Amino acid sequence: LERPNFNNWLNSNFNIELDVPSDGGHLSLKLKQPSTNQSFNLIDMGVGFSQVMPILIQLWSIIYKKRKVHSSNQTYPLIYAIEQPELHLHPKLQAKLADIFMLAVKDASHNKIDLRLILETHSETMINRFGNQIAKNLFHNADINILIFL
């Protein structure tokens, strides 16, 4: 029931869907391009995709899955730290991943979730993407802090 919702989100952001065919007790994770209906085994797509898929699944799960509400009205920030999420990704996908992070923060806030992402990155592409989206008023500068360590 949740996979179609996840696939809709994945398709709208990356133009891919997750397919999990079963073959005699074995499961495969395949990424399918709906526009061409081609499927590719995740293990054959390179390290970048295999490392970013768990991040995407976790972000979607944090934002869109229904959570049990605690009896107290006190809320706590949900902190999600990711080390070098851009590793082994083409710069175009790094920029798209930055967009996903910004979308995740916006959608979490809309769903009354105080999501805080801590990203350790060496990607100029991602940093520039954050700045460009702020300059275009597509992301609010109060929702991001960039710290540079020399």
Side-chain angles (χ1 to χ4, degrees):
L1 186 65
E2 291 176 357
R3 191 173 331 143
N5 293 331
F6 176 68
N7 274 335
N8 287 338
W9 181 78
L10 205 55
N11 188 13
S12 68
N13 291 294
F14 278 102
N15 193 33
I16 57 173
E17 293 178 355
L18 183 64
D19 188 23
V20 188
S22 176
D23 181 24
H26 297 283
L27 294 176
S28 297
L29 290 179
K30 293 191 174 191
L31 296 180
K32 183 170 91 173
Q33 288 184 303
S35 57
T36 63
N37 214 26
Q38 286 184 296
S39 289
F40 303 94
N41 195 320
L42 185 61
I43 203 159
D44 296 330
M45 292 193 68
V47 177
F49 260 108
S50 64
Q51 288 180 328
V52 85
M53 278 308 289
I55 294 169
L56 297 176
I57 292 168
Q58 185 68 37
L59 284 175
W60 181 85
S61 179
I62 288 169
I63 299 165
Y64 299 107
K65 283 181 77 173
K66 297 204 183 326
R67 302 248 181 250
K68 291 181 181 178
V69 178
H70 298 290
S71 58
S72 101
N73 289 332
Q74 192 170 10
T75 60
Y76 299 96
L78 182 57
I79 300 171
Y80 189 42
I82 308 166
E83 182 181 10
Q84 296 185 32
E86 78 281 357
L87 231 54
H88 308 293
L89 288 179
H90 184 278
K92 185 175 180 179
L93 285 176
Q94 291 178 21
K96 194 66 175 161
L97 187 58
D99 290 343
I100 292 293
F101 291 141
M102 289 180 279
L103 177 68
V105 169
K106 282 188 206 178
D107 286 355
S109 178
H110 179 72
N111 291 337
K112 298 185 180 6
I113 299 167
D114 185 7
L115 176 63
R116 313 242 177 126
L117 299 178
I118 299 173
L119 307 174
E120 184 270 322
T121 183
H122 297 258
S123 171
E124 289 180 33
T125 300
M126 289 181 72
I127 299 299
N128 289 337
R129 185 60 162 222
F130 293 134
N132 289 337
Q133 299 300 68
I134 290 168
K136 293 177 183 176
N137 291 320
L138 297 173
F139 193 61
H140 197 269
N141 64 349
D143 291 332
I144 189 168
N145 286 310
I146 296 176
L147 305 173
I148 299 173
F149 296 91
L150 301 175

